[in-house]
Amino acid sequence: MATIMTPRQALAFVVKHGIVLQAARGPVPSFAEYVAGGPIEGSWWAHSKSHEIFALATVVSEHDDVLVCKLVEGKVTYVHRSVWPALVKLSARFEPRQLAKVANEHTQTGAHRSLSTPFPEWVPPAVVREARAMSEAEAERILAPLFEPARPRRRRKS
């Protein structure tokens, strides 16, 4: 029998890694593949655990300690609060759009509307203070996976 992941386990994955991609593959782990239990061929929406992935992604993305942005390769990225000071410290190394907080809103008509809060408007004052106290070397260590040379992507089987 397949086990169902709890919201606590899903959030723990984000806490452990600090930065994870919602569903894409890249230099940081994939949240969707973690929930699925392994690599996903094609779209995660077609995966047998798609409803679980969606439900847990919603819980994680709505958590106060998780920034949802498009930090990694323009893909939806979850960034845990513990990493925010490093992002602030090294913000000049990123495009403003990478650090904007993104969200989706359901309108009364049932349509979805994308919302964006520019950097640094979403940054709490406590995080700014933590960033000031952090060395650049420490911030680089925390964000190291983002600065490593890109690995060749695996080719999908045809």
Side-chain angles (χ1 to χ4, degrees):
M1 181 174 178
T3 58
I4 303 293
M5 184 175 297
T6 67
R8 179 176 283 173
Q9 290 169 313
L11 185 59
F13 178 75
V14 177
V15 171
K16 175 183 177 184
H17 295 285
I19 302 172
V20 301
L21 286 158
Q22 179 187 55
R25 289 188 181 117
V28 296
S30 166
F31 180 80
E33 289 187 345
Y34 171 68
V35 175
I40 296 173
E41 294 297 324
S43 171
W44 68 266
W45 288 101
H47 193 275
S48 62
K49 290 192 171 187
S50 62
H51 295 290
E52 184 179 357
I53 294 167
F54 179 79
L56 292 170
T58 300
V59 169
V60 166
S61 67
E62 292 176 354
H63 196 281
D64 289 342
D65 288 339
V66 176
L67 166 68
V68 181
C69 60
K70 295 196 174 180
L71 179 64
V72 180
E73 300 173 359
K75 305 296 183 186
V76 176
T77 309
Y78 301 146
V79 182
H80 187 261
R81 160 66 176 82
S82 61
V83 177
W84 298 356
L87 280 181
V88 172
K89 185 72 172 187
L90 300 181
S91 62
R93 298 188 189 186
F94 299 97
E95 295 293 325
R97 70 180 180 279
Q98 290 177 278
L99 300 178
K101 180 179 183 176
V102 297
N104 287 310
E105 176 182 72
H106 296 272
T107 66
Q108 290 180 341
T109 63
H112 292 235
R113 178 177 33 212
S114 294
L115 304 173
S116 180
T117 305
F119 176 84
E121 290 179 24
W122 59 264
V123 181
V127 171
V128 173
R129 287 190 298 275
E130 291 173 47
R132 285 186 189 132
M134 179 179 281
S135 71
E136 193 167 308
E138 176 65 6
E140 289 173 340
R141 185 193 64 74
I142 292 167
L143 299 176
L146 302 181
F147 300 127
E148 292 173 358
R151 294 184 303 252
R153 291 185 184 247
R154 296 177 294 197
R155 290 185 54 177
R156 291 194 175 151
K157 296 177 184 174
S158 310

